[in-house]
Amino acid sequence: MSESTGLYMVRLVLNAARLYRLAMERRLPLQHLDLGYLVHSATRELFGEHGPQPFAIVSEKGADIEVLGYAPAAKEELKRHADTFANPALHAVCRWESLSDKPFPTMWRPDMRMGFVSRVCPIQRMAKDGVNYKKGAEVDVFLAKCWETGDKSVPVVRDGVYREWLEKQFEKQGARLMEFRMTSFQRERVCRRTQGQERRASCPERPSAVVEGELIVTDPERFRAMVARGVGRHRAFGFGMLLLRPAKKHAC
């Protein structure tokens, strides 16, 4: 693997109290906004188009929110952008002494096996009207599979549907899923503010699943693009970041 000159894993720590205080000062409807949205808004204002995306909120202990993300710029450039353009109150949200990075590989070996963990939002956009949805609706792929099956006597297992969904995501983007486990699942209100002059909160419910397993790289270039882009929908708001780790040792 070669060293990266265009992709970095970035770690930053945000002060939770300052982040929420700033959101209240800006009259954001906190009762309707999720933490992923707040982190997205803060990092985009701090770092502009180089703000980490996808990202993962890895810790919310005490007064700190720890975030890992993939960014196209090193920490020095991110800090320089924030120092030059960020609102002082927003600038104070980040604990700058904790900002760190590492260059990420630009190339991966074909057939390289790795472990992964990711928080994903397994939904699909419906192509046409149905009994339970309108054309263009974002629907949990598990519910879509249940409606497609239509027969209550035929069991539809959520983690099996999610595995199939992730397999397809990987196949399109240069990897093959080898092992899969869903370690947690819940339905969350994924709240966003609409665009336009009268910005209002929209809070549809979405599936949130933490999945882990192992994959094999089949197309290094496409795989690298998938890591940088993330998996699935709502990647800008804390979903879809692939955290990679060494594969388990397998018997020959």
Side-chain angles (χ1 to χ4, degrees):
M1 295 185 294
S2 63
E3 292 298 316
S4 169
T5 57
L7 184 64
Y8 298 83
M9 175 181 275
V10 176
R11 175 186 182 268
L12 63 151
V13 177
L14 305 177
N15 182 289
R18 289 178 177 175
L19 179 63
Y20 282 107
R21 188 181 307 120
L22 186 62
M24 287 188 291
E25 291 173 355
R26 296 185 176 186
R27 297 184 178 180
L28 296 178
L30 293 184
Q31 70 274 24
H32 297 302
L33 293 179
D34 59 271
L35 184 55
Y37 180 88
L38 293 180
V39 170
H40 163 78
S41 298
T43 54
R44 282 291 161 168
E45 283 196 55
L46 283 170
F47 308 124
E49 62 181 12
H50 288 161
Q53 180 182 320
F55 67 83
I57 299 169
V58 296
S59 177
E60 301 175 51
K61 295 180 180 179
D64 292 333
I65 300 168
E66 182 183 358
V67 179
L68 291 177
Y70 295 127
K75 65 178 183 179
E76 293 82 8
E77 186 173 348
L78 297 178
K79 178 68 160 55
R80 184 163 51 249
H81 187 281
D83 289 345
T84 304
F85 299 109
N87 178 294
L90 183 62
H91 193 279
V93 167
C94 187
R95 298 191 186 279
W96 294 106
E97 71 279 4
S98 298
L99 180 64
S100 57
D101 68 6
K102 73 169 185 179
F104 225 60
T106 56
M107 292 299 296
W108 303 86
R109 297 193 308 271
D111 298 324
M112 183 176 183
R113 184 163 182 151
M114 288 175 285
F116 70 90
V117 61
S118 184
R119 174 178 175 248
V120 295
C121 184
I123 57 177
Q124 68 183 75
R125 192 177 293 278
M126 307 309 288
K128 58 184 180 180
D129 289 344
V131 175
N132 302 289
Y133 51 82
K134 295 291 187 181
K135 178 180 178 181
E138 291 186 340
V139 173
D140 184 335
V141 295
F142 170 71
L143 293 178
K145 187 68 173 181
C146 291
W147 295 333
E148 177 187 334
T149 302
D151 185 352
K152 293 184 179 180
S153 66
V154 178
V156 180
V157 182
R158 185 180 296 274
D159 60 354
V161 175
Y162 287 175
R163 175 176 184 139
E164 182 180 353
W165 171 83
L166 191 61
E167 283 178 338
K168 292 178 180 178
Q169 297 289 317
F170 281 2
E171 286 172 3
K172 292 185 294 185
Q173 300 181 78
R176 183 166 68 251
L177 183 63
M178 304 302 295
E179 295 184 11
F180 173 90
R181 293 172 297 281
M182 183 173 70
T183 60
S184 72
F185 169 79
Q186 58 185 334
R187 296 193 64 81
E188 298 180 356
R189 290 289 177 184
V190 181
C191 298
R192 311 288 178 253
R193 297 189 75 190
T194 59
Q195 300 299 315
Q197 292 184 342
E198 295 185 9
R199 303 191 68 185
R200 289 175 289 184
S202 173
C203 301
E205 195 175 65
R206 294 285 183 263
S208 172
V210 177
V211 299
E212 63 180 23
E214 294 193 358
L215 59 82
I216 286 180
V217 177
T218 57
D219 185 317
E221 186 173 342
R222 285 195 294 158
F223 177 74
R224 190 253 185 204
M226 176 175 66
V227 171
R229 178 178 180 269
V231 178
R233 302 278 295 173
H234 296 289
R235 298 181 304 275
F237 304 104
F239 289 95
M241 181 183 184
L242 280 176
L243 293 166
L244 303 175
R245 57 194 184 190
K248 296 179 298 184
K249 291 184 178 180
H250 295 266
C252 297

